[in-house]
């Protein structure tokens, strides 16, 4: 029987081509995003008249998006509302940063203002961290790595469910059952992951319920979107999900480096992909009293809705791995 035939060298080569593409894309995306973190129009409040803010907007390389603030309380309020990453008071030479928003960005702002001060023969700025990270997560990476697990949990669940049942089924009833299973998986996996991380490493203190909801939404959005993409693209859909969500999405998420430190492609796309939306949402819940959560929620809900709609419209499109291998080998042997 053809299902038991040994794959031909040509068939093996065809299978390895996607692996090669994903490997090269992975290297390109992560090194491209992280090799030279540099501020690009990082939003920052400047306390004083508009002319002072305009001076900082003329710095070489445009590292800052300087915005005039009428007073220190107004500037600090903009940090709390996640409208800016820091605030500078020229009268006292003090820089206010929020490492909870992203520690490398806080460091980059300090370096940028110190270079500007040195160019004018002025002393280094005095830095005050108004939103520090907790001691048990001093680099702020817990949210990023938890997000990776949540996104992985969604697309791997969708992929594994897709291997169950008859090949290439277009049953809408089966598609609905698949989406329902992904929703249940998201709730259970989201709650358990947050509880385990909280109990094991003392992270997410005081925000367990909010993080459970964010985790469940992220897992379901990833899973439903994967189901929709797999329904539309067939076996190639899994590779497309990995390319968009993992290779591009994780690098552009703003986890290790906030998006103002990333190059153009990653800076532009990060906020509209599930990984970036999940990181933004979790940081807002943990450190900023829920400021600016509407956008990330809409992004995750949008991906979940689009994926579910595609899956229901196109049917379950469940693919038997044996059938796929047999078809590939048969096609390559022709």
């Amino acid at each position: 029987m053809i299902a038991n035939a040994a794959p031909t060298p040509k068939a093996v080569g065809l299978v390895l081509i996607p692996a090669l593409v994903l490997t090269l894309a992975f290297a390109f995306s992560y090194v491209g995003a992280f090799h030279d973190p540099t501020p690009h129009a990082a939003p920052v409040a400047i306390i004083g008249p508009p002319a002072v803010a305009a001076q900082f907007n003329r710095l070489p390389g445009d590292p800052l998006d300087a915005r005039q603030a009428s007073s220190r309380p107004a500037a600090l309020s903009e940090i709390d509302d996640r409208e800016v990453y820091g605030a500078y008071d020229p009268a006292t030479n003090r820089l206010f940063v929020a490492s909870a928003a992203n520690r490398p960005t806080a460091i980059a702002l300090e370096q940028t203002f110190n270079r500007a001060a040195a160019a004018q023969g002025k002393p280094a700025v005095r830095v005050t961290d108004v939103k520090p990270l907790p001691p048990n997560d001093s680099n702020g990476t817990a949210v990023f790595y938890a997000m990776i697990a949540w996104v992985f949990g969604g697309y791997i669940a969708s992929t594994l469910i897709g291997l169950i049942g008859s090949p290439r089924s277009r049953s809408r009833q089966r598609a609905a059952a698949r989406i329902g299973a992904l929703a249940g998986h998201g709730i259970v996996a989201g709650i358990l992951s947050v509880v385990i991380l909280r109990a094991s490493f003392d992270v997410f203190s005081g925000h367990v319920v909010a993080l459970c909801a964010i985790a469940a939404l992220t897992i379901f959005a990833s899973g439903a979107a994967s189901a929709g993409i797999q329904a539309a693209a067939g076996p190639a859909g899994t590779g497309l999900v990995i390319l968009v969500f993992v290779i591009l999405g994780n690098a552009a998420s703003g986890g290790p480096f906030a998006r103002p430190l990333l190059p153009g492609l990653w800076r532009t796309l990060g906020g509209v992909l599930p990984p970036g939306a999940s990181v933004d949402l979790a940081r807002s819940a943990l450190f900023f009293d829920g400021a600016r959560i509407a956008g990330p929620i809409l992004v995750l809900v949008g991906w979940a809705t689009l994926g579910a709609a595609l899956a229901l419209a196109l049917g379950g499109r469940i693919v038997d791995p044996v059938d796929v291998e047999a078809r590939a080998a048969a096609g390559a042997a022709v």
Side-chain angles (χ1 to χ4, degrees):
M1 296 176 61
I2 193 170
N4 295 323
T8 66
K10 185 177 180 180
V12 173
L14 291 174
V15 171
L16 289 179
I17 287 174
L20 174 62
V21 171
L22 292 176
T23 299
L24 297 178
F26 202 112
F28 177 85
S29 183
Y30 278 68
V31 175
F34 300 150
H35 78 287
D36 184 25
T38 304
H40 303 278
V44 62
I46 306 296
I47 303 168
V52 179
Q55 292 177 356
F56 287 100
N57 279 327
R58 292 193 292 267
L59 291 177
D62 297 321
L64 303 177
D65 175 13
R67 307 172 183 184
Q68 185 265 343
S70 59
S71 64
R72 181 182 295 182
L76 297 181
S77 178
E78 290 187 43
I79 294 177
D80 291 338
D81 294 337
R82 303 205 70 187
E83 296 179 8
V84 297
Y85 282 89
Y88 178 62
D89 186 352
T92 60
N93 195 33
R94 292 186 65 182
L95 174 66
F96 301 92
V97 298
S99 61
N102 184 241
R103 187 169 181 270
T105 302
I107 295 172
L109 288 179
E110 180 180 357
Q111 294 172 340
T112 299
F113 278 95
N114 281 339
R115 282 194 295 268
Q120 299 177 0
K122 296 180 179 179
V125 298
R126 295 185 297 159
V127 180
T128 300
D129 192 345
V130 295
K131 288 282 185 178
L133 287 160
N136 53 4
D137 186 23
S138 58
N139 289 315
T141 55
V143 163
F144 173 64
Y145 287 107
M147 174 277 297
I148 290 177
W150 299 335
V151 172
F152 169 81
Y155 80 75
I156 198 63
S158 176
T159 301
L160 293 176
I161 290 175
L163 300 178
I164 302 173
S166 59
R168 301 181 70 83
S169 168
R170 292 181 179 273
S171 165
R172 291 186 180 179
Q173 182 178 1
R174 184 170 291 172
R178 183 180 186 181
I179 296 299
L182 290 172
H185 168 72
I187 294 171
V188 173
I191 293 173
L192 288 179
S193 66
V194 172
V195 170
I196 289 172
L197 293 175
R198 174 69 181 88
S200 301
F201 308 112
D202 198 28
V203 294
F204 309 149
S205 178
H207 301 84
V208 171
V209 174
L211 265 292
C212 286
I214 293 168
L217 177 58
T218 301
I219 295 169
F220 176 64
S222 174
S226 298
I229 294 171
Q230 289 162 342
T238 300
L240 186 58
V241 167
I242 294 173
L243 180 64
V244 175
F245 288 0
V246 180
I247 293 176
L248 178 59
N250 286 351
S253 68
F257 301 102
R259 284 187 285 278
L261 301 186
L262 300 178
L265 172 66
W266 295 267
R267 187 168 67 251
T268 302
L269 296 179
V272 298
L273 297 175
S278 181
V279 168
D280 289 344
L281 188 55
R283 280 181 176 154
S284 291
L286 282 171
F287 307 119
F288 294 90
D289 297 325
R292 299 175 70 88
I293 62 171
I297 290 176
L298 287 176
V299 169
L300 292 173
V301 171
W303 278 100
T305 302
L306 176 62
L310 281 173
L312 293 172
L314 298 175
R317 193 105 179 221
I318 296 173
V319 179
D320 182 6
V322 176
D323 179 70
V324 171
E325 181 181 354
R327 289 173 183 268
V334 173

